[in-house]
Amino acid sequence: MPVFRTYFKIMKKQLVGLILYGIMFIAITLLITFFIIRDNSKEFTVSRVPILLINNEGDNEFIEAFTSYLEGYVEFIDVDDSDEAGRDALFYNEVKYILTIPKGFTDGFLSGEEIMLIKEVNPDMTSVQSVDSAIDNYLNMARAYISYNPGFTLEELIDFLSMNPVSETEVIIETGKKVSLDAVEFDTYYFNYLGYIMVVCFVLGVSTVMMSFNGLEIRRKQFAAPVSSKNFNLQLILANLLFVLVYLLIFIIVGYLTNPFRRLHLGLVLTWINALVYAVVVLCISYLIGITVKGKNAIQAISTGLSLGLAFLSGMFVPQQFLGTAVLRVASFLPSYWYVRANNTIGEISNYSINNLTPVFQYMAIQIGFIAVFLAIILVVAKRKRQEAT
Amino acid sequence: MIVKVDGLVKRYGRLVALDYLNFEVKEGEIFGLLGPNGSGKTTAINCILSLLKYDKGTIEIFGKKMGPDKYDIKRDIGIIMQNVAVFDELTVYENIYYFCSLYINDKEKIKEYTEEAISFVSLEEYKKFYPKKLSGGLLRRLNIACGIVHKPKLIILDEPTVAVDPQSRNKILEGIKLLNEQGATVIYTSHYMEEVEQICDKIAIIDKGKVVAQGTKDELKAMISIGEKITIETYQITEEQIMIIRELPNVISVIYDNNQLEIKSGRGKNNLLQVLHYMENNKIAFGKVFTQLPTLNDVFLEITGKELRD
């Protein structure tokens, strides 16, 4: 198996880089995951959203009661009294919400007219949802009181609204009882980040070796040697698979040992299988890069660009729920998106029923679909390369 | 017969790269394929090695029909390409070892042959060097070592001395002669006629995919009318005098350029003497005088009407 052995001799030259990336990955991953888990599990504080209130209605009892209710959820920020100043404050994130009460709002609202408050927010800000929810709660409750008690005076309505139990919610966090959940959380974060490091290391390792074997003159010399193409390719495929398996196995073991809440469960095994499927996807991408790209500097650049691009688009660094819909739509054309989605879904499962597991297997199947596509492209490119060499 | 190429035709679309090419290489020969760039030498080599499909003709090596899956034939062929084909990530030793292991399975034998190949190309001091640390000449020697390490019976060298310094070139040519003396049959392609003249026993001159002449170097030179080339340095000669020299017996052509009078004459005695007598009698002062036998370039020029390096 000379080709197989030589593959690893060449790979040895990349070993220092691969080990360094591995150590950096483990250190950063452990640091981040511990911080995230600690943040999530120990404490809860109500965050007040800074908002700018533009009151065109003027002061009256209803507006005063409404704004004093909102103070429980928001922090009113004073800004110069102009539209432009308000928008600047919104742009620079000094306020996250501009709420405008239009003239005639109180009378209109109390008489049951469809009159709207006006809001301005920056797109994709999750924190504004709590403000929307607080405003909706108050006004819906007021609307309900008015509909069912037409004889209510304004004072009575304000009194009832101030007694409304929804204005206070007790939050209880049970610390110390979430060991199993933390174990799953750790695995999800760890394996999501692993998706990034796999791209960096596989492109760096596999592509570099494949590029060496696919140099035009080297290939011609190999075709002239008494080794069939089938045998030659088989040795390369075996070497590639062994490299990927060993690399993944090391990270699976390290991930398991460094997980402070380690517990072997079906979810973890599914995460491993998902990582294996994704590793084969990345192997195919790396193989393709190795046989198409010319120059080792280009491989370095592709390794960095591709790994960061896939990681940011697919929610390896930033959770998918915080990504915009347009980003997610683009990301759904990438295998890394389905890898992360499968990991996240596994992390959310509490009961391993067929119904709950079906989406996980679907996401893995999509990744296998990507493998098939990449293999088809590899076959076409390899055939063209062979024609070029002869 | 080690190699027999018969009626080989290779077309790239409308371009005919090989046009019924024929030649035979006998055991123990150094056979030169000489031709300008684009004449079809490398295409012929690629067809012989089954790296390229051809449209017509047959190729036999060691008396058997050659094909892409004829591994028993390939096992006895060594190939040295024009461009260096080695792994940058492997040392000199590892590169030679790898290419040997493509042909031989026995580990001990591979090690032994690798050492022998290293010493053959005098790279003992560079065993642990990576190719990037080697000079152009040393790289060529490594390339040769990778091609001959498995002790092939037939060695094919496709322009192995392109862009090589004279010292390394001589070393390479001496090495090829030595391999031949050790029993290998060699096919050597080049557009450098001096090299082909220096080492080849038999030469096929190729142009536009055809063998235009074939034989030993003396046989090839005997095919043409020029027997001698005389060059005389002179600063004062008239057009009339040149015309008279042109009319002397056995003179084929006379060119006066850059104070050099170049006379090509046919085979015969006293060609130089008669010219010098004429110049002396007519008081034409002259400086350096030298004569040359015809070169392969003259052969090529006379047969094809163009220079070998066009």
Side-chain angles (χ1 to χ4, degrees), chain B residues 155-166:
Chain B
I155 302 171
I156 298 175
L157 298 106
D158 187 13
E159 310 227 22
T161 56
V162 171
V164 171
D165 62 278

Side-chain angles (χ1 to χ4, degrees), chain B residues 211-278:
Chain B
V211 173
V212 291
Q214 196 171 170
T216 63
K217 59 186 170 192
D218 293 332
E219 283 169 353
L220 287 171
K221 286 172 188 177
M223 285 178 193
I224 57 169
S225 53
I226 301 165
E228 196 173 9
K229 265 181 10 181
I230 301 163
T231 310
I232 302 169
E233 187 183 39
T234 177
Y235 294 91
Q236 35 166 282
I237 189 164
T238 61
E239 272 299 315
E240 205 175 300
Q241 287 166 330
I242 291 171
M243 287 286 283
I244 292 168
I245 292 172
R246 205 167 275 149
E247 297 304 319
L248 289 173
N250 221 12
V251 169
I252 297 169
S253 70
V254 179
I255 300 166
Y256 181 65
D257 185 33
N258 212 12
N259 301 324
Q260 301 279 332
L261 189 68
E262 194 183 288
I263 303 156
K264 286 181 181 171
S265 41
R267 248 166 283 279
K269 291 176 184 173
N270 303 325
N271 287 330
L272 174 64
L273 275 178
Q274 64 169 352
V275 176
L276 292 180
H277 275 148
Y278 172 79

Side-chain angles (χ1 to χ4, degrees), chain A residues 35 49 71 73 136 155 213 222-223 230 341 347 362 374:
Chain A
F35 275 123
V49 181
E71 272 172 357
Y73 300 91
D136 289 346
E155 289 74 24
F213 273 104
Q222 275 156 181
F223 292 145
K230 198 175 152 190
R341 197 146 174 208
Q362 280 172 348
F374 286 126

Side-chain angles (χ1 to χ4, degrees), chain A residues 11 56 90 124 131 138 175 188 211 281 316 320 326 339 385:
Chain A
M11 186 62 84
N56 293 333
L90 190 64
D124 298 329
V131 183
Y138 191 85
T175 56
T188 307
M211 205 176 76
V281 178
M316 287 175 184
Q320 283 183 346
Y339 166 70
K385 288 268 164 185

Side-chain angles (χ1 to χ4, degrees), chain A residues 160-181:
Chain A
F160 274 101
L161 284 172
S162 66
M163 289 188 296
N164 186 357
V166 296
S167 59
E168 284 288 331
T169 306
E170 190 183 0
V171 177
I172 300 164
I173 296 180
E174 293 182 34
T175 56
K177 289 184 183 175
K178 290 185 63 191
V179 174
S180 63
L181 183 59

